[in-house]
Amino acid sequence: MSEAAGAHASSRPSLVATGAIWVSAGLALACAVFVGLVLPTLPPLPGRLEADALTGLVSSVGDVVGRLAAMAALGLLAAVVAFVPPGPDGQLAPPAQRIAGWAGRAAQLWFVASLLMTFANPAFVTGIPLGYTMRPDIWADFLGSTPSSLAWLVSAVVALVTAVVAYRARSASAFAVCWLAGALAMVFIAVTGNVSVGLDHDWATDAAGVATLAGVVLASGAVGVVASALAGVGGTRAAVRYRRVSLPLLGLAAAGCAVVAWQQLAGESPFAVAAGAPVVAGVVLVVLLVANRLRPTRSDAGSLVSAVAIDVALLVLGVAALGAATHLPPPRFLVPQSSQVNYLGYEVDVPATAALVAGPGRPNLLWVLLALTAIGAYAWGVVRVHRAGGRWPVSRLLPWLGGWLLVLYLATSGLWMYSTAVFSWHMLLHMTVNMMVPVLCVLGAPFTLLEAASRERADASLPGPREVLAGLAANRFVRFLLSPPVVWVNYVASLFVVYFTPLFPWLMRYHWAHQVMLLHFMLAGYLFFGLLIGPDRHPWQLPYLVRFALLISVMPFHAIFAVGIMMARTVIGEEFYKTISVSWVGDLLADQNIAGQITWFTGEVPAFIAVIVLAAQWFRSDSREAAAADRRADTGEGEDELGAYNDMLAQLAERDREQGRTGGAR
């Protein structure tokens, strides 16, 4: 056996650890079948009287298979991106190409299971036989009326694209894009499930999304470490990278699942209802994962990778518990709810006053966590830069803190709570998130900080955040999304597409959709202002004159949008606002007129700030260029260019004189 082959064998997981993964996969499938067989024995829920045994069985098994296949595919994508050194030319090395082939096969299974769930999930949710949803017209109707089936369709599309990319792409950045899309697809499935029903479902939905994202990162890391070891690379460095972040990710996922369990059980003991079994199983699995992480492990590659393989086996069982929790009806379903609780997750019967709107309110968990994470991660980056002997400008730190502290205040204030029920307050929040917050945050230059705080990759070492970010910036699809025409159209057209079409009332019906809407507007604003005034290095560097023209060009559209709201003769989202029936709001059309005025005013202030910042940047850029030209002239570096320029002027003058003499002679 050669030395390389011996190192490969020593870094592979043990037979016991590998066998544990296969055994856990078999147990997960057996659990899905058991849940499908148990469902017909449970009392039927109101509205699901036509549910049959086959529908529940197919939905339960398809759910677990789809999630396991996604876990495998995303983990293999993560291995290519983060756990395999790139080739000398920046393309995929042979081990990465091997892993990419595995990812393609896993993505095919993911696609088939997700496509099956687009039929089985709406049939199970609505309590009708599976055969009904097989009709194309009924299937299309369910995609628009059942968000969970739409989520599985998105999952199927992402899986199909991943399968194609896995066989055709040769750069790690394409796999990183697919991983991001797959992670978001898994979050989409999670937030459209049982958590979207009942009192406090706003908190449960946010918690489910955060827990799913943390779980996807954790599972992707574990699968990626094992896959890279099986491909002959990774080993100790990959296992150490995973173990460094495994406990924080596990804690975040466990905390999110605890919030979901609290909301779903509705005060019932987990030992008293069938829906409590997945909760108990989840607690046991978390304890085992923590114990596996804390137990003493030898520092050789084989022992470390074997410990990670045990994590993979436990996470597979966690997927089985998640599938069971999705199908076993929770006690929350039996608790009566008002229309406001049905759509918002809470009541807003108390009339809004200035004190209630400006003071503490119902926290928005997702945005609170985003703000705290953004502030904490930025502070960590600044500390790393200073420890490395560098300095980070206070002029960048303060805008970043200002933007996210503003988000933190809004997310914990009464304004955010009332914004879901009152259109005028909604527009105030929307314009702040769409314009003011992005203007401040882009000035913080977070990607420049990430690059400064990251270590440069040594030869043959694993890629880090700097390399992944550079690869994404060079990706053609990412460059297209960041191109000026796409960014401009997205920023301007999103307002009209969302608010002047039936899309707005549909988005307001679901807490997760409302969150997605606000996240989209904030991202659209960040991309637009990042293109114009962001200090970060952008794939598309525009002259300042073009930047100024783009900034001025959006202002008329904002004014048209605001005037359109004020002049509208029908209420935007009328069906939604009448359904939640907030009695103290009064005339909805009058409130909409106020919303238009708020939109106009709050859009002018950030635009004015952006103009001032852009003018200052333009002035500093011209000043630096002039100073550089003066230095070249003083040192003689620019004499050749200046001499050539003077010679050109002399030749032009001589030609003019000759033409003058010729004309005079004539």
Side-chain angles (χ1 to χ4, degrees):
M1 179 181 294
S2 65
E3 182 178 351
H8 179 197
S10 64
S11 66
R12 295 171 66 94
S14 65
L15 291 177
V16 174
T18 305
I21 296 177
W22 288 107
V23 170
S24 64
L27 291 175
L29 293 177
C31 177
V33 173
F34 176 76
V35 170
L37 296 176
V38 166
L39 286 174
T41 66
L42 300 176
L45 291 172
R48 293 187 180 179
L49 301 180
E50 298 183 43
D52 64 292
L54 178 62
T55 300
L57 179 61
V58 173
S59 179
S60 178
V61 174
D63 185 286
V64 170
V65 172
R67 293 178 193 267
L68 288 178
M71 174 181 170
L74 294 178
L76 293 168
L77 295 178
V80 174
V81 174
F83 298 117
V84 177
D89 55 352
Q91 301 297 304
L92 297 185
Q97 295 179 19
R98 184 182 178 190
I99 296 174
W102 300 342
R105 289 189 283 274
Q108 293 176 46
L109 179 58
W110 178 16
F111 167 72
V112 172
S114 297
L115 188 62
L116 174 63
M117 287 300 293
T118 62
F119 300 95
N121 177 266
F124 172 75
V125 169
T126 56
I128 62 176
L130 179 60
Y132 288 178
T133 58
M134 292 294 181
R135 290 175 48 184
D137 54 336
I138 294 180
W139 177 73
D141 290 339
F142 274 120
L143 289 178
S145 60
T146 311
S148 54
S149 62
L150 179 62
W152 278 110
L153 179 62
V154 171
S155 175
V157 172
V158 173
L160 181 61
V161 173
T162 300
V164 174
V165 168
Y167 289 116
R168 296 183 62 87
R170 288 296 174 262
S171 65
S173 62
F175 291 82
V177 172
C178 288
W179 185 91
L180 290 172
L184 293 178
M186 291 298 99
V187 172
F188 193 9
I189 292 173
V191 300
T192 54
N194 295 342
V195 295
S196 61
V197 177
L199 183 66
D200 300 317
H201 76 255
D202 56 327
W203 287 346
T205 301
D206 290 347
V210 172
T212 301
L213 185 58
V216 167
V217 177
L218 181 66
S220 296
V223 174
V225 170
V226 175
S228 62
L230 292 175
V233 292
T236 303
R237 290 174 297 176
V240 169
R241 171 176 287 187
Y242 162 78
R243 288 167 67 87
R244 189 182 297 128
V245 299
S246 61
L247 279 182
L249 289 172
L250 179 60
L252 186 59
C257 290
V259 174
V260 172
W262 161 77
Q263 190 266 347
Q264 291 287 282
L265 291 176
E268 295 287 344
S269 169
F271 301 100
V273 292
V279 177
V280 176
V283 172
V284 173
L285 290 173
V286 168
V287 172
L288 292 176
L289 283 166
V290 173
N292 185 52
R293 173 62 179 85
L294 297 180
R295 70 181 177 89
T297 305
R298 295 197 305 268
S299 58
D300 61 282
S303 298
L304 291 173
V305 173
S306 296
V308 177
I310 297 298
D311 279 5
V312 173
L314 294 173
L315 290 170
V316 168
L317 295 177
V319 171
L322 182 60
T326 303
H327 287 80
L328 295 174
R332 177 59 63 187
F333 281 10
L334 302 177
V335 179
Q337 59 184 9
S338 65
S339 61
Q340 292 183 10
V341 170
N342 181 46
Y343 287 107
L344 308 180
Y346 54 91
E347 301 276 1
V348 284
D349 288 335
V350 179
T353 63
L356 289 176
V357 170
R362 184 182 181 87
N364 188 294
L365 293 186
L366 175 63
W367 287 89
V368 168
L369 186 60
L370 282 176
L372 294 177
T373 301
I375 294 173
Y378 198 92
W380 172 80
V382 172
V383 170
R384 282 182 62 92
V385 170
H386 280 269
R387 285 180 178 176
R391 295 181 61 83
W392 189 252
V394 178
S395 59
R396 293 183 178 178
L397 173 63
L398 293 181
W400 181 267
L401 291 179
W404 285 108
L405 286 175
L406 177 58
V407 171
L408 185 61
Y409 164 72
L410 292 173
T412 56
S413 69
L415 173 61
W416 203 297
M417 179 179 69
Y418 283 109
S419 69
T420 58
V422 184
F423 186 65
S424 56
W425 295 124
H426 166 83
M427 290 310 302
L428 175 59
L429 178 66
H430 156 75
M431 296 305 295
T432 305
V433 170
N434 182 233
M435 296 194 68
M436 180 60 75
V437 172
V439 166
L440 294 174
C441 288
V442 297
L443 296 177
F447 295 105
T448 302
L449 176 62
L450 176 64
E451 185 176 354
S454 303
R455 298 187 184 132
E456 190 172 357
R457 188 181 73 90
D459 292 339
S461 65
L462 299 180
R466 176 185 296 190
E467 290 73 33
V468 174
L469 185 63
L472 286 174
N475 183 271
R476 286 182 295 179
F477 179 68
V478 175
R479 284 180 58 85
F480 168 75
L481 293 180
L482 298 180
S483 62
V486 174
V487 170
W488 189 92
V489 170
N490 181 41
Y491 183 70
V492 173
S494 294
L495 296 171
F496 297 90
V497 171
V498 169
Y499 288 99
F500 293 151
T501 68
L503 184 60
F504 176 72
W506 188 87
L507 292 172
M508 294 297 290
R509 290 172 56 190
Y510 308 101
H511 175 76
W512 63 265
H514 191 201
Q515 299 283 55
V516 169
M517 176 173 57
L518 291 176
L519 286 171
H520 169 78
F521 281 127
M522 182 175 180
L523 180 61
Y526 188 94
L527 294 178
F528 179 73
F529 290 109
L531 177 67
L532 302 186
I533 62 174
D536 285 321
R537 186 168 58 246
H538 199 279
W540 298 86
Q541 293 293 330
L542 302 178
Y544 280 98
L545 181 61
V546 176
R547 300 186 192 186
F548 193 79
L550 287 176
L551 180 57
I552 296 300
S553 67
V554 302
M555 294 182 179
F557 290 96
H558 269 285
I560 293 172
F561 174 69
V563 172
I565 293 177
M566 288 187 290
M567 300 296 292
R569 299 304 179 189
T570 58
V571 177
I572 298 175
E574 181 176 12
E575 180 181 355
F576 167 76
Y577 288 111
K578 286 186 175 180
T579 301
I580 62 174
S581 185
V582 183
S583 58
W584 51 266
V585 172
D587 188 352
L588 294 177
L589 201 57
D591 179 72
Q592 183 171 297
N593 184 272
I594 296 174
Q597 299 176 42
I598 292 174
T599 301
W600 198 332
F601 174 75
T602 53
E604 295 297 325
V605 176
F608 178 74
I609 295 175
V611 168
I612 298 300
V613 172
L614 184 59
Q617 292 175 346
W618 195 352
F619 175 77
R620 287 198 301 267
S621 176
D622 287 349
S623 298
R624 286 193 299 267
E625 291 179 0
D630 291 341
R631 285 194 300 270
R632 288 196 301 269
D634 293 340
T635 57
E637 295 180 4
E639 288 184 357
D640 293 340
E641 296 180 2
L642 183 61
Y645 180 70
N646 290 332
D647 291 342
M648 180 190 69
L649 293 179
Q651 292 174 4
L652 291 175
E654 180 63 25
R655 186 178 63 183
D656 291 342
R657 284 194 295 270
E658 291 179 356
Q659 291 177 350
R661 287 194 296 269
T662 304
R666 290 176 180 174

